[in-house]
Amino acid sequence: MFAVTATQTDPDNPLAGLTLGERPEPKVPDGWTTVSVRAAALNHHDLWTLKGVGIRQDRLPIVLGCDAAGVDEDGNEVIVHSVIGTGADETLDPKRTLLSEVHDGTFAERVAVPRRNLVPKPAGLDFEHAACLPTAWLTAYRMLFDKAGLQPGSTVLVQGAGGGVATALIALGRAAGYRVWATSRSEEKRERARELGADQVFESGARLPERVDAVMETVGQATWDHSLKSLRPGGRIVVSGATSGAVPPADLNRVFFLQLSVIGTTMGTREQLGRLAVFLEQTGLRPVVDRVLPLAEARDGFAAMEAGEIFGKIVFAV
């Protein structure tokens, strides 16, 4: 089968290890099944893998990709939940992994997954939009509706508008009745965030008109100081990523004096993915897709992500 594979890692030239071509059909352990992939979405996780982050060298070569929607062996249209783990909340399993970390991922014509990881795809969602949900949109859903502790009408600041999680946060927050503010260094991305539903947009680091109830943080070091200073007393930061660096000054005096909360979150559960799909079906909301490329042109998608030249999700059609 045709697949997109990481064959080596290089932190300075990650695309050097990106290989497109034929791979063996997936092996199917007991309790697993195969899905014929119709669409798969690109994440920063895939680029980090090529840089050597979170992957052991003895796992290579490995098929990349966490996100997919397709058709199972019984002909059902499904969305693949990419967290491989046990328990009611798979993300808390200390041995949990994502597809493409230990097991081959979704950038292939077929992928093997545990049967419990299949979520029905609503008929109203096409495969391209459904493929965007399992990582970026699921992460955003859990950040807003599980971890943030907010009620509709609350003010939420989304740092770094443009990435997959950030665009999902803006769209979901708007649909749920939050007042959503967003930041970006790019004027173009600020305007697109406004079009997506942000009530106000600001340059990165800009002083806000008032303090917010919660900050959604995926950027990390570059925006951390601004995130802390933007919170009202008793507010919280929900952190799901640190693309600009993971070790900012903590400013603990501000944290304890203003009784701020810092909440970490990773991905989401299978049940949350199912509810997210229903939420989109009920509201008519759809993920922002930057571009759809054939899987054979995956290198172009990776290059665009590495250059930061995207707004929303890059989807590969299989």
Side-chain angles (χ1 to χ4, degrees):
M1 65 174 183
F2 184 84
V4 176
T5 306
T7 51
Q8 68 180 56
T9 61
D10 187 333
D12 300 316
N13 184 18
L15 270 62
L18 188 65
T19 302
L20 282 66
E22 292 299 310
R23 285 278 294 169
E25 290 283 336
K27 296 180 180 179
V28 186
D30 289 342
W32 289 47
T33 186
T34 58
V35 173
S36 297
V37 178
R38 296 291 178 82
L42 181 64
N43 292 287
H44 273 98
H45 182 275
D46 305 304
L47 196 58
W48 287 113
T49 299
L50 289 169
K51 292 181 178 182
V53 178
I55 188 76
R56 289 184 0 212
Q57 294 300 305
D58 63 355
R59 298 292 186 191
L60 302 178
I62 195 165
V63 177
L64 293 165
C66 301
D67 295 355
V71 179
D72 70 12
E73 293 177 348
D74 298 320
N76 301 305
E77 296 184 350
V78 295
I79 305 171
V80 175
H81 182 227
S82 63
V83 182
I84 310 299
T86 59
D89 186 340
E90 307 93 330
T91 68
L92 297 177
D93 179 353
K95 296 183 179 179
R96 62 128 168 96
T97 62
L98 301 183
L99 286 173
S100 77
E101 292 180 346
V102 174
H103 308 283
D104 279 336
T106 59
F107 293 169
E109 292 177 293
R110 280 166 295 285
V111 61
V113 296
R115 290 184 184 277
R116 72 189 298 268
N117 282 55
L118 299 184
V119 172
K121 181 184 79 65
L125 273 183
D126 62 31
F127 285 108
E128 288 77 13
H129 286 131
C132 298
L133 302 187
T135 296
W137 276 67
L138 178 58
T139 297
Y141 180 93
R142 183 172 168 118
M143 290 174 78
L144 275 175
F145 303 140
D146 184 2
K147 300 294 186 176
L150 300 174
Q151 297 180 358
S154 300
T155 303
V156 180
L157 176 66
V158 178
Q159 296 280 25
V165 175
T167 54
L169 285 163
I170 294 167
L172 287 167
R174 177 73 177 197
Y178 298 130
R179 183 168 64 161
V180 181
W181 294 353
T183 69
S184 176
R185 293 174 297 176
S186 162
E187 182 177 356
E188 178 186 358
K189 288 183 178 180
R190 291 196 298 271
E191 285 309 305
R192 294 195 66 179
R194 193 192 302 274
E195 294 169 3
L196 188 58
D199 295 275
Q200 293 194 59
V201 294
F202 305 92
E203 291 188 28
S204 297
R207 185 179 180 88
L208 303 181
E210 62 187 72
R211 293 183 178 181
V212 302
D213 298 300
V215 178
M216 303 293 109
E217 179 62 82
T218 61
V219 180
Q221 198 160 311
T223 55
W224 186 256
D225 181 67
H226 183 250
S227 293
L228 286 175
K229 291 177 178 177
S230 298
L231 278 175
R232 64 164 174 78
R236 63 176 61 184
I237 299 178
V238 182
V239 186
S240 70
T243 55
S244 69
V247 194
D251 196 1
L252 292 179
N253 288 340
R254 180 178 294 273
V255 171
F256 72 72
F257 187 72
L258 296 179
Q259 301 182 69
L260 306 180
S261 298
V262 178
I263 310 296
T265 186
T266 294
M267 301 290 287
T269 67
R270 179 192 179 279
E271 285 71 24
Q272 287 171 330
L273 178 58
R275 290 198 294 272
L276 169 61
V278 172
F279 184 86
L280 265 60
E281 183 179 43
Q282 292 297 109
T283 60
L285 182 66
R286 294 295 182 269
V288 177
V289 175
D290 180 89
R291 69 196 76 178
V292 178
L293 298 170
L295 188 61
E297 297 176 16
R299 183 173 297 274
D300 293 342
F302 275 84
M305 173 169 281
E306 185 182 24
E309 298 172 350
I310 59 173
F311 188 93
K313 298 294 294 177
I314 292 176
V315 178
F316 301 134
V318 184

